[in-house]
Amino acid sequence: MTDAAKYNVVFVLGGPGAGKGTQCDKIVKEFGFVHLSAGDLLRAARNDPNSEFREDIANHIKDGSIVPVAITCSLLKREMEKAKENNQDYFLIDGFPRNEDNLDGWNTQMSSQVNLKTVLFFDCPEEVCVDRCLERGKTSGRTDDNTESLKKRIQTYTECTMRVLHYYSTLGLVSKVSAERSPKEVFEDVKGIIMKVME
Ligand code: ADP
Ligand code: C5P
Ligand code: MG
């Protein structure tokens, strides 16, 4: 496959509540990427009466553990194919890959069709992440924005996702942004990174 025919992908990682979704919305507005949140796709599949994986996904989400990659990757792939039919080929893949299983599955199924541009990493202290999620939990209706689920989500992040970040940093692919500032300030740094990606 030629480089031009491939999907251009930016992975977006960071702890729960680091601001991935917030910043992705801003990138979409300013740069016109397709935003695919793995968490959003999984929540939609969990709520879909026709999905055979509803219960399994619901349990993983509540436990802050990671759904098997075959499920998540097929949801992402379906959306990427749909978008490509509309000539959209720049993607923000938010909240993926989150563990070694995600990474292996992606590398097997997708990486030959993808130009991985960078891994945008929102670096945010744990207590700020937890506070933001608890605040979001007042209105989000999410089953995992509570103290008990958050403990497990933070653990998954530090034990599994950090290793994925380490892997990509050894490849020189991580663009780290300090996410503790206001959304507007964070976006100033993000803009610079995305502009380089699109050069
Ligand atoms: P993630 O997708 O990483 O879980 P979100 O973008 O959903 O994070 O943000 C989590 C919560 O924190 C939301 O309620 C959001 O409005 C808020 N938030 C996002 N970015 C910031 C920021 N830079 N400063 C303060 N609050 C933020
Ligand atoms: O990214 P978000 O916070 O929306 O993810 C919510 C939950 O969805 C995660 O805690 C996890 O249970 C599930 N998820 C997953 N695999 C991913 C992304 C999210 O299992 N790659
Ligand atoms: Mg999110």
Side-chain angles (χ1 to χ4, degrees):
M1 189 182 258
T2 62
D3 253 21
K6 291 183 178 179
Y7 299 103
N8 296 297
V9 167
V10 172
F11 285 141
V12 182
L13 292 175
K20 300 181 291 297
T22 302
Q23 294 298 322
C24 284
D25 288 347
K26 290 181 181 292
I27 298 170
V28 169
K29 279 207 186 99
E30 185 130 352
F31 298 98
F33 276 62
V34 178
H35 173 210
L36 299 178
S37 157
D40 286 349
L41 291 171
L42 288 166
R43 282 184 285 275
R46 175 197 62 191
N47 296 341
D48 176 356
N50 298 315
S51 162
E52 57 182 309
F53 307 115
R54 293 183 68 171
E55 207 178 306
D56 197 20
I57 296 172
N59 290 333
H60 278 293
I61 289 179
K62 201 151 185 283
D63 281 348
S65 52
I66 304 301
V67 172
V69 69
I71 297 174
T72 313
C73 207
S74 73
L75 294 170
L76 289 168
K77 191 161 181 258
R78 189 173 67 189
E79 295 303 315
M80 290 167 79
E81 286 167 355
K82 260 197 256 169
K84 195 139 199 195
E85 280 170 21
N86 295 320
N87 298 318
Q88 293 171 293
D89 57 4
Y90 274 81
F91 296 87
L92 295 167
I93 301 192
D94 161 4
F96 183 95
R98 260 202 167 79
N99 68 358
E100 208 172 320
D101 175 57
N102 276 187
L103 187 58
D104 291 347
W106 174 268
N107 283 338
T108 308
Q109 282 193 56
M110 294 300 291
S111 63
S112 63
Q113 307 166 57
V114 165
N115 289 318
L116 178 59
K117 295 295 204 173
T118 195
V119 179
L120 188 53
F121 167 39
F122 291 109
D123 188 23
C124 195
E126 182 179 317
E127 51 300 351
V128 175
C129 284
V130 170
D131 285 350
R132 286 185 188 171
C133 288
L134 290 176
E135 190 57 35
R136 180 175 64 189
K138 291 177 184 168
T139 54
S140 67
R142 283 179 54 155
T143 56
D144 60 350
D145 279 342
N146 56 71
T147 309
E148 200 184 327
S149 294
L150 270 163
K151 267 193 206 137
K152 299 175 188 165
R153 290 165 70 194
I154 294 282
Q155 191 180 356
T156 301
Y157 172 67
T158 51
E159 286 175 8
C160 306
T161 313
M162 287 307 285
R163 291 175 63 163
V164 174
L165 280 160
H166 179 71
Y167 164 77
Y168 282 121
S169 76
T170 62
L171 301 178
L173 277 169
V174 174
S175 306
K176 179 163 132 175
V177 176
S178 165
E180 218 180 330
R181 301 162 294 160
S182 72
K184 195 164 167 254
E185 285 169 307
V186 174
F187 191 58
E188 283 308 308
D189 287 0
V190 168
K191 253 199 260 186
I193 294 164
I194 298 297
M195 282 193 292
K196 271 203 196 135
V197 160
M198 299 192 79
E199 267 170 12

